[in-house]
Amino acid sequence: MAPEILGLLLAAAVAAGWVDAVVGGGGLLLLPALMVAAPTTPLATLLGTNKLGAVFGTASAAIAYARKVRVDRSVVLPTAGLALLGSGLGAALATALTADVLKPIIMVVLAGVALMVVLRPSMGASPDPRPRSRNRLLATLALAGVAISFYDGVVGSGTGVFLIIAFTAVLGMDFLQASASAKIVNVCTNIGALTVFALGGHVDWLLGLGLAVCTTLGAQIGARMALRRGAGFIRAVLLVVVLALLIRMGWDVFA
């Protein structure tokens, strides 16, 4: 890999760490960057290397949030436990996919997230606690612990965004609480998927560890900004990131 390409890739990792810490979805920056930087590398190896970089950044952000934001452990911990299994199963499927299959899937999901954020401007602005009924807990486990975690293993990109939306829509968390909760679950989805990719030999360890240093740096900057500025800042960044990435993926697919 040429030095200038590597430099741009590491810069993308810093940006991805920042985005992941604020709203999630850093993989939508880093994975396309890896595809451009290493076009002949198998997709499974790019996904596995992306996971290695992401797990350190996400864990760093989760620790930063945990020091300042109280999370509902009765919801987050069972969800995180299921996420390990769900993402691992998804990663096992990902080894059979190609980039051309992934891009349209990502676009459809991003469009849905953008519509939800735009059409419900009050969502996530402040806490709107809902009774922790059995049905809501099961819905959270099914959506965040199984469906989104499985998606993370298959695709990975945008998982943090979808977890935030799930915790906000189902449980009435504000974006700050939802982001803190999502980081814990996202660490587990990354670990589950990374384990499967690593066992299959689909990780470039040297490059992945270099990316990990950069994502951790970006994550620390992003987490501190999000904690300082609150839910409104997170919502604004979420919408900008989703729209920008939707445009970019649309260009890749249709141009």
Side-chain angles (χ1 to χ4, degrees):
M1 189 179 296
E4 60 272 18
I5 297 297
L6 179 59
L8 290 173
L9 184 57
L10 294 178
V14 174
W18 186 91
V19 171
D20 251 342
V22 178
V23 295
L28 287 165
L29 291 174
L30 189 52
L31 185 56
L34 281 165
M35 290 178 177
V36 171
T40 61
T41 302
L43 178 62
T45 301
L46 296 180
L47 289 169
T49 305
N50 176 57
K51 284 298 177 192
L52 178 57
V55 70
F56 284 91
T58 305
S60 174
I63 292 170
Y65 276 103
R67 291 172 176 168
K68 300 290 185 179
V69 180
R70 184 175 181 179
V71 299
D72 188 339
R73 296 183 180 181
S74 65
V75 173
V76 172
L77 294 183
T79 304
L82 275 176
L84 280 168
L85 177 60
S87 61
L89 292 174
L93 176 62
T95 58
L97 297 180
T98 66
D100 291 337
V101 175
L102 297 183
K103 289 179 180 178
I105 296 173
I106 296 172
M107 283 187 61
V108 170
V109 179
L110 281 174
V113 170
L115 284 174
M116 181 176 293
V117 175
V118 170
L119 296 177
R120 298 181 60 187
S122 62
M123 185 180 70
S126 59
D128 182 22
R130 289 151 197 183
R132 296 296 192 265
S133 65
R134 182 173 179 270
N135 288 341
R136 287 193 183 277
L137 178 58
L138 290 176
T140 302
L141 291 173
L143 184 58
V146 178
I148 296 176
S149 299
F150 182 81
Y151 166 87
D152 188 30
V154 177
V155 180
S157 302
T159 299
V161 173
F162 307 137
L163 287 171
I164 289 175
I165 294 298
F167 284 126
T168 304
V170 178
L171 298 177
M173 296 180 183
D174 66 21
F175 280 126
L176 186 60
Q177 293 171 321
S179 187
S181 301
K183 297 298 169 291
I184 297 172
V185 177
N186 208 175
V187 169
C188 291
T189 64
N190 284 335
I191 292 173
L194 176 60
T195 299
V196 172
F197 285 126
L199 290 174
H202 299 298
V203 178
D204 183 330
W205 292 97
L206 183 60
L207 177 59
L209 290 173
L211 297 176
V213 172
C214 295
T215 58
T216 300
L217 173 61
Q220 282 300 302
I221 298 171
R224 294 172 196 276
M225 288 183 66
L227 289 167
R228 186 168 64 250
R229 300 191 180 187
F233 171 71
I234 293 175
R235 181 184 186 276
V237 174
L238 185 150
L239 186 58
V240 169
V241 168
V242 167
L243 292 177
L245 293 171
L246 183 59
I247 292 170
R248 171 55 195 268
M249 296 298 287
W251 176 266
D252 289 342
V253 171
F254 298 113

